[in-house]
Amino acid sequence: MNILLLSGSPRKNGNTNAIVQRVAERLKTNHNVEICRITDYQINGCLGCNHCQSVLDKPGCVQDDDVTRLLGKVMDADVVLYGTPLYGHSYSGQLKLLMDRHVALFKFVGGSDKAVDEMEIKSFIENRSVGLIVSCQGPGENNTELVQMQFRKFCESSLAFCLGTYIFPWCSPDVIGSQFSEDTLNQIVCDVEAQNK
Ligand SMILES: Cc1cc2nc3c(=O)[nH]c(=O)nc-3n(C[C@H](O)[C@H](O)[C@H](O)COP(=O)(O)O)c2cc1C
């Protein structure tokens, strides 16, 4: 399988990238694995212009930054894992910009003037297996619910298949890699391998 890991941490040698690296090392024995540190790319915020919704056969974003290239990688992958440090119980700002831009990958058939759950959606990533990896300094519980819900809602809107949300708690910014749960790493590998039909 082609597996894409998109890491949304601005800290090159931080926890999130260390976890993403560990996941990649485990998966690359059987698969083509690519890691993209999204902070190496130019990612502008969505303009909300809705132009992408008038172009049905491709993402069709008006902006000329690196997102078209990144979304191309998302479309080409069998599995996409998004990594982020927890910032204010949510994605990093850098990853949030990219997640918003995914709107170009799903089209609201018949217009986008209804409530999201009432709209018919055509998606370039329908049934694509996607997962979220989160590193945070605090606990998993009563801390990461918002980002997990955000990601699950993203999957619902994009019709992607949610492999899971994988939380690495107690990741102090000063003690990289001290507490990474082998169980959670194993779970990610196991869930990804299960997609290899
Ligand atoms: C701006 C900011 C906000 C943060 N918010 C939270 C938070 O809400 N909950 C938490 O447990 N950790 C929070 N943290 C800690 C980081 O999520 C945690 O240390 C993470 O592992 C850092 O990942 P990195 O090494 O990839 O940067 C925050 C850190 C920063 C810089």
Side-chain angles (χ1 to χ4, degrees), residues 54-105:
S54 65
V55 183
L56 298 183
D57 59 342
K58 58 183 180 190
C61 182
V62 292
Q63 297 200 64
D64 185 20
D65 58 5
D66 292 330
V67 170
T68 304
R69 194 147 57 99
L70 285 170
L71 292 183
K73 291 175 186 288
V74 169
M75 288 197 286
D76 288 344
D78 299 298
V79 176
V80 185
L81 297 172
Y82 301 83
T84 185
L86 192 67
Y87 280 2
H89 310 286
S90 182
Y91 301 126
S92 66
Q94 291 86 344
L95 184 61
K96 178 67 165 66
L97 292 182
L98 182 62
M99 298 313 279
D100 286 350
R101 298 285 297 279
H102 279 64
V103 71
L105 295 185

Side-chain angles (χ1 to χ4, degrees), residues 9 11 14-16 85-89 135-138 143 171-173:
S9 173
R11 295 204 314 152
N15 290 306
T16 310
L86 192 67
Y87 280 2
H89 310 286
S135 78
C136 60
Q137 185 161 6
N143 191 26
C171 289
S172 156

Side-chain angles (χ1 to χ4, degrees), residues 3-4 14 25 32 38 47 51 53 57 64 66 69 73 86 98-99 102 126 128 142 163 184-185 192:
I3 299 170
L4 176 66
E25 273 157 24
N32 295 324
I38 66 169
L47 298 173
H51 178 80
Q53 297 305 317
D57 59 342
D64 185 20
D66 292 330
R69 194 147 57 99
K73 291 175 186 288
L86 192 67
L98 182 62
M99 298 313 279
H102 279 64
E126 183 164 359
R128 188 68 37 85
N142 200 22
L163 273 183
T184 309
L185 284 168
V192 170

Side-chain angles (χ1 to χ4, degrees), residues 5-12 17 35-41:
L5 290 132
L6 293 171
S7 178
S9 173
R11 295 204 314 152
K12 188 172 182 182
N17 283 319
I35 297 177
C36 288
R37 293 197 312 115
I38 66 169
T39 50
D40 291 340
Y41 293 77

